[in-house]
Amino acid sequence: GAVVSQHPSRVICKSGTSVKIECRSLDFQATTMFWYRQFPKQSLMLMATSNEGSKATYEQGVEKDKFLINHASLTLSTLTVTSAHPEDSSFYICSAWTHTGELFFGEGSRLTVL
Amino acid sequence: QKEVEQDPGPLSVPEGAIVSLNCTYSNSAFQYFMWYRQYSRKGPELLMYTYSSGNKEDGRFTAQVDKSSKYISLFIRDSQPSDSATYLCAMNAGNMLTFGGGTRLMVKP
């Protein structure tokens, strides 16, 4: 089946640094990918919709200058958490639609900001 | 009122039991219905995907959709401890997906 891969699966960084998370569709092209944030024991919270070749669409309350999204190719979207702070520590997950209408998720990336 | 309602649980059952997980929704425009399983600290895994009313079976899993009642269910037969996870229903109209809050299931040996 279709696979969406995220990297890194876990990252620890110092406060004030920037962290990039990659989301790749491995065996299909994805014009649209989604980025979510999930806190412990809570459901997924959609952050933004990443569109290949154009600007991402951010959900209300999500700072676009804080969470930079780049969807430069049909198989890769990146989320950069800029000037990360401890409150940005969370589980970040991406997903992508296949041409058959199924939505697959990446394995998630756990960010810890010290 | 949320567009998709799902009981958060936790739902605790003995091994071998039949599990019924349910979601209700309010938006009649939803056309595609999915169930995901999420283990702790992992991304959601697509279990079932359907777009019509009725039942769809895959191994021990059966997805049921009743569009007239705006109600979907996931049944797990012969539940196993490895089924212990959070189950998320999701549905979409167009490109946007709306999730339920997830039900935490615990299957005890």
Side-chain angles (χ1 to χ4, degrees):
Chain A
V3 177
V4 175
S5 177
Q6 265 183 258
H7 178 81
S9 59
R10 181 175 293 187
V11 57
I12 301 172
C13 69
K14 292 182 178 180
S15 186
T17 60
S18 294
V19 174
K20 181 185 284 188
I21 301 169
E22 293 185 347
C23 179
R24 292 182 185 273
S25 56
L26 295 186
D27 55 2
F28 65 100
Q29 293 183 332
T31 55
T32 303
M33 291 184 175
F34 302 91
W35 286 97
Y36 305 83
R37 186 173 181 177
Q38 188 176 36
F39 292 104
K41 298 187 178 182
Q42 294 189 26
S43 189
L44 300 164
M45 183 188 79
L46 179 65
M47 298 175 65
T49 302
S50 172
N51 303 296
E52 189 268 335
S54 64
K55 291 182 179 180
T57 304
Y58 290 82
E59 295 300 300
Q60 192 173 11
V62 178
E63 300 175 60
K64 60 182 180 182
D65 295 330
K66 174 75 170 175
F67 300 100
L68 299 179
I69 292 172
N70 185 281
H71 195 152
S73 77
L74 287 171
T75 59
L76 174 65
S77 176
T78 60
L79 169 69
T80 301
V81 183
T82 62
S83 187
H85 289 93
E87 58 266 29
D88 298 324
S89 298
S90 189
F91 194 52
Y92 293 89
I93 308 173
C94 68
S95 68
W97 290 106
T98 68
H99 70 281
T100 56
E102 294 164 293
L103 185 73
F104 286 91
F105 286 85
E107 307 96 326
S109 300
R110 181 160 300 281
L111 170 63
T112 302
V113 184
L114 302 176
Chain B
Q1 182 189 9
K2 293 181 182 178
E3 275 194 298
V4 180
E5 298 275 2
Q6 187 177 5
D7 189 328
L11 177 63
S12 182
V13 301
E15 183 176 356
I18 296 175
V19 176
S20 173
L21 303 165
N22 310 296
C23 288
T24 59
Y25 62 95
S26 57
N27 187 350
S28 57
F30 288 137
Q31 296 177 318
Y32 297 89
F33 304 90
M34 286 155 268
W35 284 97
Y36 289 88
R37 176 176 62 195
Q38 186 176 23
Y39 292 112
S40 181
R41 298 171 182 260
K42 298 287 185 183
E45 173 193 4
L46 180 63
L47 284 178
M48 301 286 285
Y49 166 75
T50 184
Y51 55 86
S52 58
S53 283
N55 294 351
K56 181 178 181 180
E57 192 173 316
D58 184 1
R60 295 185 296 112
F61 299 92
T62 299
Q64 189 175 77
V65 174
D66 183 347
K67 288 188 177 181
S68 61
S69 301
K70 297 191 181 68
Y71 189 90
I72 68 170
S73 299
L74 177 70
F75 299 98
I76 307 174
R77 290 184 297 280
D78 187 25
S79 56
Q80 303 295 310
S82 58
D83 294 328
S84 298
T86 296
Y87 291 80
L88 299 155
C89 66
M91 47 201 78
N92 73 303
N95 210 23
M96 296 307 297
L97 197 69
T98 304
F99 286 92
T103 299
R104 190 165 148 238
L105 171 66
M106 295 186 292
V107 181
K108 297 186 176 180

